[in-house]
Amino acid sequence: MSSQSRKVATRLLMRAGFSRIAIRVAQAGKPKDAGVAEGGGVFASSEAMASSVFGSEAASGIDVDPNGLQGLRTERRKQVTHVDEYGFMQFEGDAHESDAQTQQYDAWQTRTGARPRRPTLDVRAASEAKWATLLRSFDAATLRGSRKVKKLVQAGVPPGARARFYYVLSGAAGLEQPGEYARLAGQASLPIYEVIERDVARCYPDHVMFADADGAGQRQLRRILRAYAQYNRAVGYCQGMGRLVGLFLIAGLGEEQAFWVLAATIRGFIPRYYEADLAGLREHTAVFEVLLHERNPRLAAHLAEQGCDALMYATPWFMTVFTMSLPWPAALRVWDWFVFRGTKVLFRVALGISDLASAYLLDACPTIAELLGFLLHIPPGLVDANTVIAAAARVKISERHVERLIQRAAAPG
């Protein structure tokens, strides 16, 4: 990658919320040279990843006092127009990076007449009562073995059943130990708690559950992340974890259950994602690049020619399991499928998004700036929930092939 391309990539990644250390890992691919400190994942010693809600200082990785963020949040709340069905506050005059990408994408469609085919999914969602019966009557293995249940999952788990669904299908019950969460939460402070404290205020800042510094949501998030740092000392804490815990709490999981679902998810679905060298993430993005080349060699070649490595745009996709990259309804549907089917869903969704964006990326994004600008801020209208799930469902990859690729990516040398 040229020096100019590197600078462009750095600027775009910072605007998307990355710490400087993570950017250096993504660009150089040398985690041992990234300056990672003891006590946590790659983000632990870095400037915290802040929402663009708080402006350029927070988004650029400059350390911001959480009390100052709360003051900004209080002022911003005066501009709330309504709260959506998921609990996210909507603001007067909001302008997001995705809005600019939407305008450019719409202009491209108008100019070229291109209307990418939107895949559809012929499935019908089940009621909460039906899901309650399924979760009460069958264990996770039996549910996963049913094609009918697979279709129901792809159609989306009802909000009232989602918390129980995540708990059962994640395998959390197999890890949970009575009294262990309370013990972990009561342990003496670790140095990484300071980093957790800074990040708690920045996790889902526009959601009513986490809007107040002294609110129940922030207190629960803080306790869960601290407890996990005690539970898994080898990892400690990494920012992507907050996005996962926040989703669990928003979905209705209780505090202790959310902790065990976090532990089960990291252990079973995204192992080594949050370790200091990002080993699991690096392996999975390498696998994704191979799969993309197999499925869409033209797009893969275009990205490679511009120096647009998968780590640069797939890191937020994978590390937060699409909670930073998709509209919330789509992120929930992806999570439903991910918890049900496992790691392979990450690749299918990433390839599905690539299918949806391919024509635009090839025709309208000639440089790394345009490529990353789009991939880090995908227009919401292109990736609505039904379209994303349908596009991912059309991607056929075998478990055996994925496992072979993972083993190859993990092999030394």
Side-chain angles (χ1 to χ4, degrees):
M1 186 192 305
S2 69
S3 174
Q4 183 61 32
S5 293
R6 191 180 300 277
K7 289 179 182 178
V8 170
T10 298
R11 176 173 55 81
L12 290 170
L13 286 163
M14 293 296 287
R15 288 174 63 186
F18 282 86
S19 69
R20 300 181 198 279
I21 290 177
I23 291 169
R24 281 155 56 189
V25 172
Q27 290 184 343
K30 297 177 181 178
K32 292 183 179 179
D33 297 331
V36 180
E38 279 185 10
V42 69
F43 297 109
S45 63
S46 68
E47 305 88 348
M49 181 169 59
S51 168
S52 60
V53 166
F54 300 121
S56 60
E57 287 187 325
S60 65
I62 297 173
D63 205 14
V64 181
D65 181 5
N67 293 326
L69 293 183
Q70 185 62 32
L72 289 171
R73 184 173 295 170
T74 300
E75 288 299 312
R76 181 163 167 74
R77 201 179 306 174
K78 296 175 182 178
Q79 302 173 5
V80 173
T81 58
H82 67 283
V83 176
D84 70 17
E85 62 183 301
Y86 302 100
F88 288 93
M89 296 177 284
Q90 305 300 309
F91 299 91
E92 181 180 352
D94 249 355
H96 298 292
E97 183 71 20
S98 59
D99 295 334
Q101 295 297 336
T102 296
Q103 293 173 8
Q104 295 172 23
Y105 181 75
D106 290 345
W108 171 77
Q109 286 189 310
T110 300
R111 174 174 54 83
T112 63
R115 291 293 183 271
R117 183 184 176 193
R118 293 296 187 95
T120 58
L121 198 63
D122 185 19
V123 292
R124 182 175 297 179
S127 66
E128 289 185 11
K130 182 169 182 118
W131 270 110
T133 300
L134 287 170
L135 293 170
R136 185 172 57 249
S137 305
F138 303 102
D139 61 15
T142 303
L143 292 171
R144 286 195 174 99
S146 168
R147 290 191 176 185
K148 183 176 181 181
V149 174
K150 172 188 170 183
K151 293 293 185 184
L152 295 179
V153 172
Q154 289 180 343
V157 177
R162 194 166 266 131
R164 180 65 182 168
F165 178 81
Y166 288 179
Y167 182 78
V168 171
L169 272 296
S170 68
L175 293 180
E176 185 170 358
Q177 303 174 41
E180 179 65 4
Y181 176 68
R183 186 190 71 80
L184 291 167
Q187 293 292 298
S189 176
L190 296 173
I192 199 65
Y193 283 13
E194 294 182 12
V195 180
I196 292 173
E197 190 61 32
R198 290 200 300 269
D199 289 349
V200 162
R202 298 165 174 142
C203 188
Y204 297 106
D206 288 349
H207 195 278
V208 293
M209 181 178 288
F210 306 104
D212 296 319
D214 297 323
Q218 286 199 27
R219 292 199 302 270
Q220 290 176 333
L221 180 62
R222 179 184 298 110
R223 286 193 294 265
I224 292 169
L225 293 174
R226 287 179 174 181
Y228 190 83
Q230 297 280 357
Y231 176 77
N232 188 346
R233 294 288 187 98
V235 171
Y237 165 72
C238 178
Q239 281 178 324
M241 295 177 189
R243 299 290 300 189
L244 273 58
V245 173
L247 178 139
F248 300 152
L249 294 173
I250 292 169
L253 281 157
E255 181 179 329
E256 185 169 354
Q257 286 189 328
F259 169 81
W260 290 111
V261 172
L262 174 69
T265 299
I266 294 174
R267 178 177 178 175
F269 299 144
I270 46 176
R272 299 183 299 125
Y273 264 39
Y274 302 123
E275 293 181 1
D277 60 357
L278 296 177
L281 176 69
R282 287 154 56 91
E283 289 165 13
H284 282 184
T285 52
V287 169
F288 167 66
E289 285 192 315
V290 174
L291 293 171
L292 180 63
H293 181 78
E294 292 174 350
R295 184 170 181 82
N296 192 337
R298 187 179 172 206
L299 177 59
H302 178 53
L303 292 166
E305 287 167 3
Q306 299 307 316
C308 190
D309 298 328
L311 266 173
M312 294 180 178
Y313 59 90
T315 291
W317 293 4
F318 289 0
M319 202 167 214
T320 68
V321 190
F322 296 97
T323 60
M324 283 185 69
S325 311
L326 294 176
W328 193 247
L332 288 174
R333 293 277 295 280
V334 167
W335 262 92
D336 294 346
W337 195 12
F338 170 68
V339 172
F340 179 75
R341 185 54 69 190
T343 305
K344 189 172 77 167
V345 170
L346 296 177
F347 303 119
R348 294 181 73 175
V349 172
L351 291 169
I353 292 172
S354 301
D355 285 350
L356 294 170
S358 180
Y360 180 79
L361 293 172
L362 288 168
D363 186 65
C365 299
T367 70
I368 192 172
E370 286 90 356
L371 289 168
L372 279 179
F374 191 82
L375 290 167
L376 294 173
H377 304 282
I378 304 170
L382 182 64
V383 285
D384 64 90
N386 288 331
T387 300
V388 165
I389 297 300
R394 289 165 63 95
V395 176
K396 306 301 181 184
I397 49 177
S398 72
E399 296 276 3
R400 182 176 297 180
H401 184 46
V402 169
E403 284 301 319
R404 279 201 301 263
L405 292 177
I406 291 175
Q407 290 173 9
R408 187 186 306 168

